[in-house]
């Protein structure tokens, strides 16, 4: 019997790798007649170093995330994905993407790019994708290639 996924979460952060994961997630969701959940986690740890933080940065980040997710939702619906939802959370992306969102939303497949936007964190404490692979209770698919299964040109030197 073939595995059918019911709810596929794709983590998006605006990176090229996340875009590749989103493109493939749309196709997997359509093949499985599954719901596509677009997840974005605003890393509030970055705001902690700003002494004059008054909520403006968080509001700006939230507004940008909403606009990005709306764009992804529109693109998914135009592509033929009927069941599309989105979620924005705040905190450290690793536990949210690996555990909390999948548990809260009954996700059975997580798709994400091999790397994301935060190169400094990746260098010192490991990537989000690495953490998710180790800690998620459901299946995880790490996307490294485009829709033709080719490594994008700007990825060759990573």
């Amino acid at each position: 019997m073939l595995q059918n996924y019911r709810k596929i979460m794709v983590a998006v952060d605006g990176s090229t790798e996340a875009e590749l994961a989103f493109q493939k997630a749309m196709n997997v969701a359509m093949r499985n007649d599954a719901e596509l959940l677009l997840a974005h986690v605003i890393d509030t740890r970055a705001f902690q170093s700003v002494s004059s933080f008054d909520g403006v940065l968080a509001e700006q980040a939230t507004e940008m995330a909403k606009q990005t997710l709306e764009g992804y939702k529109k693109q998914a619906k135009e592509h033929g994905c009927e069941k599309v939802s989105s979620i924005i959370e705040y905190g450290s992306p690793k536990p949210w993407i690996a555990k909390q969102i999948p548990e809260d939303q009954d996700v059975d497949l997580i798709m994400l790019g091999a790397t994301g936007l935060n190169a400094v964190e990746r260098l010192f404490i490991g990537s989000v994708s690495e953490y998710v692979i180790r800690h998620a209770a459901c299946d995880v698919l790490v996307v490294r290639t485009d829709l033709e299964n080719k490594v994008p040109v700007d990825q060759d030197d990573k």
Side-chain angles (χ1 to χ4, degrees):
M1 183 170 192
L2 294 175
Q3 170 69 44
N4 282 326
Y5 295 107
R6 294 172 283 107
K7 195 165 203 179
I8 299 166
M9 180 180 83
V10 61
V12 292
D13 65 2
S15 66
T16 302
E17 291 83 0
E19 176 67 25
L20 295 174
F22 168 71
Q23 295 293 327
K24 287 196 174 183
M26 285 190 299
N27 291 335
V28 174
M30 288 177 33
R31 281 196 306 269
N32 284 268
D33 191 31
E35 179 181 342
L36 181 61
L37 174 63
L38 308 168
H40 181 82
V41 180
I42 296 173
D43 193 342
T44 55
R45 296 170 303 168
F47 302 141
Q48 293 170 357
S49 63
V50 180
S51 59
S52 63
F53 175 67
D54 60 2
V56 173
L57 291 175
E59 289 173 21
Q60 290 174 341
T62 300
E63 191 54 41
M64 285 180 57
K66 285 180 181 176
Q67 289 174 8
T68 300
L69 290 172
E70 283 305 312
Y72 279 124
K73 283 168 83 171
K74 181 179 180 202
Q75 188 177 344
K77 289 187 184 273
E78 288 171 356
H79 190 74
C81 289
E82 296 299 321
K83 299 178 268 185
V84 184
S85 60
S86 63
I87 188 168
I88 298 173
E89 292 295 351
Y90 302 85
S92 175
K94 290 177 182 182
W96 275 109
I97 294 168
K99 298 177 183 180
Q100 197 62 49
I101 297 171
E103 288 173 11
D104 293 348
Q105 299 290 322
D106 198 26
V107 169
D108 52 6
L109 175 64
I110 301 169
M111 294 180 68
L112 67 166
T115 59
L117 291 175
N118 197 337
V120 173
E121 180 177 273
R122 192 170 59 248
L123 178 66
F124 290 109
I125 57 177
S127 71
V128 171
S129 56
E130 179 184 12
Y131 183 91
V132 172
I133 290 166
R134 286 195 321 254
H135 294 92
C138 64
D139 289 349
V140 177
L141 187 130
V142 177
V143 176
R144 297 181 180 281
T145 59
D146 62 19
L147 291 175
E148 285 78 42
N149 290 325
K150 292 185 171 50
V151 176
V153 176
D154 63 337
Q155 294 278 315
D156 287 336
D157 59 338
K158 287 188 179 179

